Amino acid sequence: MAAPVLSIRNLTVEIPTRHGILKPVDGVSYDIVGGEILGIVGESGAGKSMAGNAVIGLLSPPAHIAKGEIWLNGARVDQLKGEAMRRIRGKEIGMVFQDPLTSLNPLLRIGDQLVETMLTHLPISHAEAEKRAIAALEEVGIPGAAKRVNSYPHEFSGGMRQRVVIALALCAEPSLIIADEPTTALDVSVQAQIMALLKRLCRDRGTAVMLITHDMGVIAEAADRVAVMYAGRLAELGPVREVITAPRHPYTHGLMASTPLASKGQKRLHQIPGAMPRLDAVPDGCAFNPRCPYVQDKCRHAPGPTAEGNAAACWFPLVQEELS
Amino acid sequence: MSETPIPAQKSRLRAALESDLFYTFTRSPVAVVAAFVVLLMLLASVFAPLIAPTNPFDPASLNLMNGFTAPMAANDFTGDVFLLGTDDQGRDVFSTILYGMRISLFVGVSAVLFAMVLGITLGLLSGYLGGWVETIIMRTADVQLTFPSILVAMLIFGIAKGITPVEYRDQMAIWVLILAIGLSDWVQFARVVRGATLVEKNKEYVEAARLIGRGSGAIMLRHILPNVLSPVLVIATISLALAIIAEATLSFLGVGAPPTQPSLGTLIRIGQGFLFSGEWWILLFPATTLLALALSVNLLGDWLRDALNPRLR
Amino acid sequence: MALVSVKNLSRVFDVSKPWLNRVLEREPKAFLTAVSEVDFEVEPQTTYALVGESGSGKSTIGRMLVGLLKPSGGNVDIDGVDLANETDAAKIDAIRSDIQMIFQDPYASLNPRWRVRDIIAEPVAARGGKTDGLAEKLLEQVGLSVKDAGKFPHEFSGGQRQRICIARALASEPRLIVCDEPTSALDVSVQSQVLNLMSDLKDNFGLTYVLITHDLTVVQHMADRIGVLYLGRLVEEGAPEDLFDAPKHPYTQMLLDAAPRMDGFGREATPPEGEIPDPINPPSGCAFHPRCPLAAEVCHKERPVMRRLGNTRVACHMAEE
């Protein structure tokens, strides 16, 4: 296997509050190799976005990385500060957020934003950058790209804007793209277009992608591997087909089973009792133990083993026969 | 399950002491000091008759011989000592300040309450009803904003004074002052409340209330009003400082509190006549009190604005 | 007899700029047709789903059903009473308590300054009804605890808040509940809890639901009949088995193809062409023709009428059995 583009080791993010220290990300480890799409799924509050923000150094204080390491292309980046981090962020990491307007400056023409990003990070001339900006917009499927480079962000529809954001994220030829709920605000038909685009471009360029979403369908269709997060911890990590069709962690199993698609033809949907614990009330032992149908005494005291490689963070992982 | 007793709700005091607002308050030394000063002055003015050594407005207790006594010095004729000295008529400056602060605070608080009630009502109406109601109210507000508020207050004061009968003028002066300052100050309440109302009225809980047939009045009062009050609280505090200063300004100009009921502003006006003849204390102490009061209230308002603003937290 | 009967329903919004801007910029008034000539009926104790993407007019229809918006044309009859045109106050009041709504955003739909008890009892209290113990009883029915009645909304999670909204909707013992994207703000595992609760309550109280959503998987699970909307027009209506297995309108087909699938590992389907057009200037003829793979000459010119094909109704010139 090729050397990973991004490698996260035992990452822990802490937020000190007056009621104690919260851990929105707690001992998470995973790798992403070039050309691979790693899906990060979890429910709101599971810490999936926080892990992405830690990688790009955009944790809003008082949240901070308390433990662990982040390696990008063989260099450690979790301790970089200020200017050094900014340079890495623009050059090595591209970002696509749920709301395209957070990545685009509303006062600048999109062409200028593309040119500026390329000039900052690539050794090319202004004329060359302008040529590449048009090519980049053509590549993401903006009709009439040569004319549209002079438009402002508000002149595009939601779907087109997200295409522009993808062009902007890719124009400095980064090795990693972090896509945080990139299609959540879009309609189904546009979502399909954007996902197809993201998949094609990253595969062609060998870019690693961290795809953060709550939509299991999107993960199933786009991701190569998937990491399931629960209460700040990694519950399960593995190839997407295995995790979805043969989950080993009881939480993953419950999550998959509770989607209406999985209960086709049944009168009632599968449901996991209770709700994910709030960060100030994560139970001892395995965080999932109060909701787990297979809970045993050990789960209440010892935190589950960490999920690394292809594994579930569970003392008693499900064997497939038990499920059907 | 129905047998489960319903636990007593947290008392309001407990809830307040555990709230985030109180927590940030205890962590802000400026706010604590400012609150302490304001509280002290409030208590001092409420209990002025008990604290003040003399009643400066009881002619019987005055001795003209005590005039122009310096602070903490014995009077040449009577040998009396006054903490902050006396003025030209032998009134104890400390006592006049306590009574003056009383008038200042009373006028300030009443004027802000008046402006608040007026502003909230008009703001709610224009925000919720929209249309021509909004146009009339908000355009009136715009026009009023083009004049300095002290000018508006003077205008209202002048008109009101003109129509009150001469024999009631001194008695009515304080109320006219409250009316004048209040009327000059309602605009910002109305603007803020209108803005907040526009946000709230499109929330789904208001739709849910409309759906079951609640009338506009009930929705405005019971649903929207409680949700637009936090910015009002901030403005009210800052307005209080401004109202106290406005009152002092008017009184200083001689169009405010009458000499029979002097406020801090009146005292400053009286005092400035003696500044260059060496009796500095007659001016300095009332002026320092006004400064401390207005500054503390303002600092408290600033802190409240930051503490209630979710973006700054 | 149908509980809800919608006939020729239309709604136009005036989206013009202010008068002065229009005069200075020489622009005409602009109108947005959010809903255009929609017909459907909802049988009692069934779930009717309105599906569509943004701009399809599904929420506008929902708001007209419950009387929050007045139709610009056509009418909505609930149990034979037309809320917008009825003059008998007693009848309006009776029908009002028969209709309730559940909203999308569980954070905005509960007044943050009210206790849960007062929120839930409000539909009854507003009519001067008896509310003793009502909130507590309803809280138990939606799976919350009696002692939650004294709390404020911010003490609850999104899923719990949606349960409180459901409890409030049940308070006036309604027959019809319009649910506007009831689970789209919720996580999957919470969504399944809320959907199951809705199914149970429907059986227990004999409720009728109009379910408004963009989520086809929810629709497939919940609906007895589905209406697909595109740009304010009803394009296809049928039972879930017909619609999902053999969609007759090309737009329905496109929606089904575009929706991500849990078993679609590495699926490389060609994504649909184009985006939803501007509703202020909708395309001529069939609104879907610019994106339609089957579009013919007639589709540019004539707006297709709803016609019955087997068990479904479809508005397409090209659709065949």
Side-chain angles (χ1 to χ4, degrees):
Chain A
M1 202 156 136
V5 170
L6 176 74
S7 177
I8 294 178
R9 284 287 159 270
N10 198 24
L11 181 71
T12 300
V13 174
E14 289 184 351
I15 304 176
T17 71
R18 60 190 264 227
H19 300 296
I21 292 172
L22 308 181
K23 290 184 179 171
V25 179
D26 188 359
V28 168
S29 307
Y30 49 75
D31 293 339
I32 312 180
V33 298
E36 179 191 44
I37 300 182
L38 175 72
I40 315 272
V41 280
E43 302 179 83
S44 40
K48 49 191 196 302
S49 295
M50 196 70 92
N53 288 346
V55 171
I56 46 185
L58 279 185
L59 289 175
S60 44
H64 62 276
I65 297 173
K67 261 192 292 196
E69 296 164 16
I70 301 171
W71 296 79
L72 189 65
N73 294 320
R76 193 164 168 188
V77 297
D78 54 291
Q79 287 166 332
L80 293 180
K81 293 223 159 41
E83 189 50 36
M85 188 66 227
R86 256 197 301 283
R87 208 170 308 127
I88 296 267
R89 194 152 68 211
K91 174 73 191 85
E92 300 289 337
I93 309 175
M95 288 167 285
V96 182
F97 292 115
Q98 173 176 345
D99 178 5
L101 290 179
T102 54
S103 326
L104 296 172
N105 184 338
L107 301 177
L108 290 182
R109 298 171 202 277
I110 57 156
D112 294 341
Q113 302 191 39
L114 285 162
V115 167
E116 193 193 315
T117 309
M118 282 187 274
L119 288 180
T120 318
H121 299 292
L122 299 177
I124 53 173
S125 69
H126 198 279
E128 170 71 15
E130 273 178 5
K131 221 185 288 163
R132 283 205 201 178
I134 295 173
L137 289 179
E138 265 167 7
E139 205 174 0
V140 295
I142 305 263
K147 247 204 245 156
R148 298 290 273 176
V149 283
N150 291 320
S151 306
Y152 290 93
H154 70 88
E155 296 173 73
F156 291 85
S157 68
M160 285 297 157
R161 234 178 257 155
Q162 201 61 300
R163 286 171 191 263
V164 173
V165 171
I166 291 177
L168 190 65
L170 285 168
C171 71
E173 295 165 8
S175 48
L176 172 70
I177 292 273
I178 296 180
D180 192 348
E181 304 274 7
T183 57
T184 305
L186 304 175
D187 283 312
V188 213
S189 57
V190 183
Q191 162 172 299
Q193 297 167 355
I194 296 292
M195 284 317 298
L197 178 70
L198 199 63
K199 256 158 67 176
R200 177 170 60 79
L201 291 179
C202 294
R203 195 161 305 151
D204 292 352
R205 294 157 182 241
T207 315
V209 180
M210 183 195 284
L211 175 64
I212 301 167
T213 175
H214 67 280
D215 190 327
M216 297 307 303
V218 168
I219 292 280
E221 294 194 351
D224 300 305
R225 285 189 308 139
V226 57
V228 182
M229 289 190 71
Y230 184 79
R233 304 170 194 180
L234 216 49
E236 185 162 357
L237 182 65
V240 66
R241 189 183 290 267
E242 268 177 46
V243 171
I244 290 183
T245 57
R248 278 176 282 190
H249 196 290
Y251 171 65
T252 322
H253 174 236
L255 192 65
M256 301 303 158
S258 57
T259 57
L261 279 176
S263 329
K264 205 168 175 180
Q266 294 166 21
K267 177 92 176 70
R268 288 176 65 85
L269 296 166
H270 177 90
Q271 65 182 59
I272 315 177
M276 193 163 64
R278 285 159 49 143
L279 286 174
D280 56 0
V282 179
D284 287 339
C286 170
F288 187 60
N289 84 67
R291 304 172 71 189
C292 183
Y294 312 105
V295 62
Q296 302 200 21
D297 217 32
K298 188 176 187 182
C299 310
R300 298 199 177 91
H301 307 298
T306 43
E308 268 183 74
N310 289 355
C314 179
W315 289 115
F316 309 100
L318 304 173
V319 184
Q320 227 26 71
E321 285 80 56
E322 288 175 14
L323 286 177
S324 53
Chain B
M1 199 56 190
S2 56
E3 296 301 309
T4 325
I6 300 166
Q9 276 143 26
K10 282 183 190 169
S11 76
R12 283 192 174 255
L13 183 69
R14 266 293 290 291
L17 287 179
E18 284 173 13
S19 69
D20 289 340
L21 195 65
F22 186 74
Y23 177 75
T24 53
F25 176 74
T26 56
R27 299 292 289 271
S28 162
V30 173
V32 173
V33 171
F36 179 74
V37 172
V38 172
L39 196 69
L40 196 74
M41 291 188 158
L42 214 58
L43 288 176
S45 38
V46 169
F47 296 108
L50 301 177
I51 302 167
T54 61
N55 180 350
F57 308 110
D58 176 12
S61 71
L62 290 182
N63 185 351
L64 272 177
M65 300 297 278
N66 277 335
F68 296 125
T69 314
M72 293 309 289
N75 183 276
D76 296 341
F77 309 101
T78 60
D80 290 347
V81 176
F82 298 90
L83 182 66
L84 302 179
T86 61
D87 65 3
D88 56 333
Q89 297 179 48
R91 289 183 298 204
D92 174 28
V93 171
F94 179 59
S95 304
T96 54
I97 287 177
L98 285 179
Y99 278 85
M101 206 158 67
R102 212 176 176 198
I103 305 281
S104 287
L105 272 170
F106 177 74
V107 171
V109 169
S110 309
V112 168
L113 281 179
F114 176 61
M116 211 162 102
V117 171
L118 189 67
I120 289 175
T121 311
L122 294 176
L124 267 178
L125 285 173
S126 60
Y128 189 76
L129 299 177
W132 60 267
V133 177
E134 181 181 25
T135 309
I136 291 175
I137 295 175
M138 293 329 286
R139 289 304 83 79
T140 311
D142 289 344
V143 169
Q144 187 173 326
L145 271 188
T146 59
F147 299 101
S149 61
I150 199 80
L151 212 63
V152 176
M154 280 177 77
L155 183 73
I156 298 168
F157 190 81
I159 295 172
K161 214 169 171 182
I163 55 177
T164 29
V166 180
E167 58 270 33
Y168 297 118
R169 234 173 234 174
D170 266 15
Q171 285 161 285
M172 296 296 289
I174 295 292
W175 300 104
V176 170
L177 201 54
I178 291 170
L179 181 82
I181 297 174
L183 275 180
S184 70
D185 202 33
W186 65 275
V187 173
Q188 42 176 336
F189 287 99
R191 287 193 149 192
V192 166
V193 168
R194 172 180 163 270
T197 304
L198 287 178
V199 173
E200 294 296 324
K201 84 164 177 186
N202 287 320
K203 288 200 177 158
E204 291 165 343
Y205 72 85
V206 173
E207 297 214 316
R210 281 176 57 204
L211 187 70
I212 56 176
R214 282 272 193 206
S216 300
I219 290 177
M220 276 188 269
L221 279 181
R222 304 201 51 210
H223 282 285
I224 296 182
L225 181 61
N227 286 297
V228 299
L229 282 183
S230 4
V232 167
L233 193 64
V234 175
I235 298 186
T237 322
I238 293 173
S239 291
L240 177 59
L242 293 175
I244 290 170
I245 292 175
E247 183 278 327
T249 313
L250 288 176
S251 299
F252 181 80
L253 295 173
V255 293
T260 48
Q261 289 167 294
S263 69
L264 288 175
T266 322
L267 295 178
I268 294 171
R269 175 166 58 103
I270 297 168
Q272 57 116 16
F274 303 107
L275 183 61
F276 295 107
S277 55
E279 288 83 20
W280 49 270
W281 60 88
I282 306 177
L283 170 69
L284 185 74
F285 293 119
T288 318
T289 312
L290 177 69
L291 183 76
L293 181 64
L295 186 68
S296 302
V297 173
N298 222 336
L299 288 174
L300 210 56
D302 277 351
W303 164 79
L304 201 60
R305 185 189 54 206
D306 294 349
L308 290 178
N309 185 346
R311 260 173 302 173
L312 285 176
R313 252 193 291 185
Chain C
M1 193 192 124
L3 179 62
V4 180
S5 161
V6 171
K7 286 196 200 75
N8 212 15
L9 188 66
S10 298
R11 173 72 207 200
V12 178
F13 290 105
D14 185 346
V15 290
S16 315
K17 290 181 180 168
W19 171 81
L20 194 61
N21 296 43
R22 274 206 322 272
V23 172
L24 293 176
E25 292 161 29
R26 292 169 198 278
E27 280 181 20
K29 282 194 134 191
F31 294 99
L32 186 156
T33 306
V35 177
S36 171
E37 296 166 25
V38 167
D39 293 270
F40 65 89
E41 292 193 337
V42 183
E43 297 299 322
Q45 304 187 20
T46 61
T47 300
Y48 188 97
L50 287 169
V51 202
E53 300 181 274
S54 54
S56 64
K58 54 189 191 301
S59 290
T60 311
I61 295 178
R63 290 157 57 85
M64 286 194 280
L65 287 181
V66 298
L68 282 173
L69 266 182
K70 278 197 188 307
S72 313
N75 46 10
V76 176
D77 280 359
I78 313 254
D79 206 16
V81 178
D82 182 350
L83 261 184
N85 298 315
E86 182 61 56
T87 46
D88 183 349
K91 264 190 178 171
I92 291 182
D93 200 53
I95 275 304
R96 270 241 169 90
S97 64
D98 275 344
I99 317 169
Q100 269 296 345
M101 188 160 185
I102 300 171
F103 298 92
Q104 170 175 7
D105 183 352
Y107 292 87
S109 51
L110 301 175
N111 189 332
R113 305 274 169 177
W114 282 34
R115 287 188 197 278
V116 168
R117 176 184 298 116
D118 302 325
I119 292 175
I120 294 178
E122 198 192 8
V124 176
R127 291 197 169 73
K130 242 171 69 74
T131 60
D132 296 339
L134 176 70
E136 284 79 2
K137 190 185 88 194
L138 287 164
L139 278 172
E140 289 204 321
Q141 278 168 352
V142 298
L144 293 171
S145 145
V146 170
K147 49 180 193 284
D148 290 334
K151 295 183 182 167
F152 286 98
H154 70 86
E155 299 175 59
F156 297 89
S157 68
Q160 289 171 320
R161 284 173 195 235
Q162 208 56 307
R163 287 174 192 262
I164 296 171
C165 293
I166 294 174
R168 170 177 61 191
L170 293 173
S172 61
E173 297 175 5
R175 285 190 288 167
L176 171 71
I177 301 185
V178 175
C179 314
D180 189 357
E181 304 268 11
T183 59
S184 53
L186 305 178
D187 283 313
V188 190
S189 73
V190 181
Q191 164 172 291
S192 67
Q193 294 172 358
V194 171
L195 291 179
N196 281 344
L197 175 67
M198 284 173 57
S199 306
D200 294 345
L201 293 172
K202 181 182 163 215
D203 295 346
N204 295 347
F205 296 99
L207 298 172
T208 306
Y209 288 133
V210 171
L211 178 66
I212 296 165
T213 180
H214 68 279
D215 190 333
L216 290 168
T217 62
V218 170
V219 167
Q220 190 170 15
H221 181 75
M222 298 287 287
D224 298 306
R225 207 157 172 85
I226 301 169
V228 181
L229 293 160
Y230 185 74
L231 225 59
R233 307 166 188 197
L234 198 60
V235 295
E236 184 166 3
E237 187 202 64
E241 50 279 12
D242 298 323
L243 215 70
F244 280 88
D245 296 342
K248 298 206 164 50
H249 197 286
Y251 175 65
T252 317
Q253 181 70 55
M254 190 208 84
L255 264 188
L256 293 177
D257 290 344
R261 291 209 297 262
M262 291 274 289
D263 55 357
F265 304 113
R267 191 165 69 116
E268 298 282 350
T270 331
E273 295 273 313
E275 295 188 14
I276 299 162
D278 178 6
I280 297 176
N281 300 304
S284 62
C286 172
F288 188 60
H289 83 256
R291 302 172 74 188
C292 183
L294 307 176
E297 192 59 31
V298 60
C299 305
H300 294 246
K301 291 181 185 142
E302 266 177 58
R303 176 171 169 180
V305 287
M306 262 309 209
R307 56 198 170 103
R308 190 164 280 285
L309 278 182
N311 279 329
T312 56
R313 293 194 301 146
V314 59
C316 176
H317 294 298
M318 299 293 133
E320 287 161 16
E321 282 280 348

